[in-house]
């Protein structure tokens, strides 16, 4: 599994270096791969081949990459130059967890940072009902010119 992690990092690094994209997605993929790997040194390491790979080399700031490993790890990304000088990327990566369930993370990386989404990611609990009422009151006070120091 470590060989796959290293190969994944190398391949994604090449793409990021050539397109100057933020490295957060690459780091996240590496951490997920490492976290799901079994590093029992008593077991023989098995080579897991990349079974599919396509790349669109950068043209005018736009690129794309897609690969899949034989163990179920998959990565798809499209990137383009952003309007404020940044690089924008969106994509999805997935991997099988220890129970065989496919974990999928969709993400956008742009001027607002890396924004992952997945059903397995934690979310904040909803705000209590009284918070909406307090926000409404505060807005009425601001509209009426009432300020507090």
């Amino acid at each position: 599994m470590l060989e796959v992690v290293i190969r994944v990092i190398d391949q994604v690094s090449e793409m990021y270096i050539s397109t100057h994209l933020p490295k957060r997605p690459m780091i996240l993929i590496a951490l997920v791969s490492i976290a799901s790997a079994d590093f029992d040194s008593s077991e023989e390491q098995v080579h897991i081949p990349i079974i599919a790979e396509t790349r669109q080399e950068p043209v005018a700031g736009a690129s794309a990459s897609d690969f899949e490993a034989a163990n179920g790890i998959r990565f798809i990304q499209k990137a383009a130059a952003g309007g404020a000088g940044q690089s924008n990327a969106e994509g999805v990566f997935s991997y099988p967890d220890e129970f065989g369930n496919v974990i999928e993370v969709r993400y956008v990386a742009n001027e607002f940072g890396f924004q992952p989404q997945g059903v397995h990611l934690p979310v904040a609990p909803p705000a209590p009902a009284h918070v909406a009422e307090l926000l409404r009151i505060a807005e009425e006070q601001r509209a009426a010119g009432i300020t507090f120091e």
Side-chain angles (χ1 to χ4, degrees), residues 53-78:
E53 178 178 22
T54 58
R55 291 186 194 192
Q56 174 193 338
E57 295 301 322
V59 176
S63 65
S65 181
D66 180 347
F67 75 85
E68 183 175 2
N71 64 353
I73 295 174
R74 182 97 195 253
F75 173 79
I76 303 168
Q77 177 175 281
K78 293 182 180 182

Side-chain angles (χ1 to χ4, degrees), residues 15-132:
M15 180 183 62
Y16 280 105
I17 290 169
S18 66
T19 59
H20 307 291
L21 292 174
K23 294 187 181 183
R24 288 183 183 167
M26 179 186 68
I27 292 168
L28 185 58
I29 291 168
L31 291 175
V32 167
S33 299
I34 290 169
S36 64
D38 182 6
F39 292 109
D40 185 356
S41 61
S42 66
E43 292 183 22
E44 184 177 329
Q45 297 296 316
V46 177
H47 174 73
I48 301 171
I50 301 297
I51 59 174
E53 178 178 22
T54 58
R55 291 186 194 192
Q56 174 193 338
E57 295 301 322
V59 176
S63 65
S65 181
D66 180 347
F67 75 85
E68 183 175 2
N71 64 353
I73 295 174
R74 182 97 195 253
F75 173 79
I76 303 168
Q77 177 175 281
K78 293 182 180 182
Q86 81 284 353
S87 295
N88 292 339
E90 63 180 63
V92 60
F93 63 89
S94 60
Y95 60 94
D97 69 8
E98 64 271 20
F99 304 110
N101 303 311
V102 175
I103 303 298
E104 182 177 279
V105 177
R106 294 187 172 279
Y107 65 88
V108 172
N110 56 24
E111 65 272 19
F112 302 112
F114 180 68
Q115 305 154 52
Q117 295 180 346
V119 296
H120 65 291
L121 296 175
V123 293
H130 70 275
V131 171

